[in-house]
Amino acid sequence: MKRGLALFLAALLTALALTACGGGGGYSGGSDSGAPAASESQTAYDSGGGDDWKAAVQEFGFDAPAGGAGEPAGPGAAPDGGETQAEDRLASAKIVYTADIQAETQDFDTCTAALEDLVDGLGGYLEYASAGSGGDGSRSASYTVRVPAKEFRGFLKTVGEISHVTSQSRNADNISERYYDTESRLETQKTKMERLQMLLSKAENMEDIIDLENAISETEYQIEQLTGSLRHYDSLVDFATIELRIQEVLRLTTVEEAPPTFASRLGNAFTGGLRSFGDFLQGLAIFLAYNWIWLLFLGLVLLVVVKLSKRRQIQRTAAFREARERGNGFFNRKKDGPKNPDDKQP
């Protein structure tokens, strides 16, 4: 048992040492230039070694994070200095473009149709779309738009032409470090898989075979995870993401310059006040038209409450008058008592 594990470790260390020498002091891709031949692996397998081949694999660096000392961060990484190197680094950068837009329109149907035609024309798609109407009857729509990254600026410009943009924010997130680190990890895991499969074909001890198969299964899982991460990054880089909300309005929001004189400011304030009052009356009319059933129901409830209150008041008044006419209680004592305390009774 111990001799088998010792031989196994020696084979693995020899293969990894040859790979490290061929890579120039650090693994930087998936090159096969340092891969040992089958005869070399067999000779190393027969030479003897330590006790735990798993620890040796981890210690050598297969499971360590990529991007460490002596290892480039990615294809765009280069030593300092030189305009060409800076341009290459920028060309290989992985940038994720995002934007958030709030827009208004007076023609909702035309605007939304033009937006969908624009997305199709640029080769993009609508990842999410929803539309609805408010209590005042105005409609709104929310979109998550994905367009090719090279069409990002053109899309933002065209949206400002088919609608009235009230606010806009955009962001460019450089994920090059994360992307190339994941890519390097993936290449490392692929190389590890090749070594494990090669050693599995040479193994004869059943326990070693089981351990190698378990290690291969774990490595396959890591490869799938890293491959999925790279696909997700590629999707974010290749297609920009825009969150867009369009609101239907009666009057577009305008940004007016400050008037130079007091008379101009006073006139604009007077005009704005009349416009706001007109908008208020329109909104009130729409509200009454939209909620007239509830208002009618509330009016009927108030009418019933008022009638019941009046009826109860009439009943109380009648009871009070009846008690007074009978002359009982307080009214009788008050009537029979002396009018003046100084008067003497006979």
Side-chain angles (χ1 to χ4, degrees):
M1 174 64 69
K2 292 184 177 179
R3 176 173 177 79
L5 289 177
L7 297 177
F8 201 71
L9 175 62
L12 181 61
L13 290 177
T14 302
L16 296 180
L18 291 174
T19 303
C21 293
Y27 181 76
S28 60
S31 176
D32 294 330
S33 59
S39 60
E40 296 174 346
S41 300
Q42 182 63 38
T43 302
Y45 184 82
D46 295 335
S47 63
D51 294 330
D52 193 352
W53 64 271
K54 292 184 179 180
V57 172
Q58 295 177 355
E59 182 180 358
F60 191 80
F62 271 120
D63 295 336
E71 187 174 274
D80 295 337
E83 183 178 354
T84 303
Q85 295 173 348
E87 293 177 354
D88 292 341
R89 186 181 299 109
L90 181 61
S92 61
K94 300 295 183 179
I95 309 297
V96 177
Y97 294 101
T98 58
D100 191 293
I101 302 176
Q102 303 287 330
E104 298 175 339
T105 182
Q106 293 176 304
D107 191 347
F108 184 81
D109 295 330
T110 302
C111 180
T112 53
L115 175 64
E116 294 179 3
D117 292 340
L118 172 63
V119 173
D120 293 338
L122 295 178
Y125 61 95
L126 297 178
E127 188 175 73
Y128 171 81
S130 67
S133 60
D136 58 351
S138 63
R139 294 171 293 177
S140 62
S142 298
Y143 299 96
T144 299
V145 183
R146 302 294 304 276
V147 296
K150 61 182 180 180
E151 305 291 350
F152 179 65
R153 293 186 178 182
F155 176 83
L156 297 183
K157 181 180 179 181
T158 308
V159 167
E161 297 174 355
I162 65 177
S163 65
H164 178 69
V165 177
T166 58
S167 67
Q168 179 185 120
S169 63
R170 53 184 177 179
N171 182 54
D173 184 17
N174 190 343
I175 63 169
S176 300
E177 183 177 355
R178 283 179 285 168
Y179 184 92
Y180 291 122
D181 179 74
T182 304
E183 189 176 55
S184 181
R185 289 171 182 264
L186 178 60
E187 293 300 325
T188 302
Q189 293 297 325
K190 288 181 178 179
T191 303
K192 179 181 176 181
M193 175 66 75
E194 294 176 1
R195 301 295 186 266
L196 291 173
Q197 289 176 344
M198 180 182 61
L199 293 174
L200 179 61
S201 64
K202 308 295 184 182
E204 298 178 357
N205 186 284
M206 182 58 64
E207 184 175 353
D208 293 340
I209 293 176
I210 294 175
D211 290 340
L212 280 170
E213 289 179 346
N214 292 334
I216 290 175
S217 177
E218 294 177 1
T219 305
E220 288 178 345
Y221 176 77
Q222 293 295 329
I223 291 175
E224 291 177 359
Q225 291 289 99
L226 294 172
T227 302
S229 298
L230 283 180
R231 288 176 180 173
H232 176 67
Y233 288 150
D234 288 335
S235 174
L236 294 178
V237 171
D238 295 340
F239 283 81
T241 304
I242 302 97
E243 298 291 340
L244 175 61
R245 177 176 174 82
I246 299 177
Q247 180 70 41
E248 184 182 27
V249 295
L250 296 176
R251 186 179 296 105
L252 299 177
T253 303
T254 57
V255 179
E256 299 179 355
E257 297 182 357
T261 63
F262 173 75
S264 300
R265 294 173 59 188
L266 184 62
N268 290 342
F270 181 77
T271 304
L274 289 178
R275 186 182 300 113
S276 298
F277 183 71
D279 293 340
F280 168 76
L281 292 180
Q282 292 181 8
L284 180 61
I286 294 175
F287 173 80
L288 294 176
Y290 191 81
N291 299 281
W292 68 272
I293 296 179
W294 291 104
L295 294 175
L296 178 61
F297 177 75
L298 181 60
L300 292 175
V301 172
L302 291 176
L303 180 62
V304 172
V305 170
V306 170
K307 287 187 175 182
L308 292 177
S309 178
K310 287 185 177 180
R311 181 177 299 178
R312 183 172 298 178
Q313 184 66 27
I314 293 174
Q315 292 176 354
R316 289 179 179 177
T317 304
F320 182 79
R321 185 181 300 110
E322 182 178 356
R324 188 172 182 179
E325 290 176 354
R326 292 179 180 178
N328 295 331
F330 172 77
F331 299 104
N332 190 23
R333 290 195 299 270
K334 187 174 180 180
K335 182 177 180 181
D336 296 339
K339 296 182 180 180
N340 193 334
D342 297 333
D343 295 343
K344 297 182 179 179
Q345 297 294 331

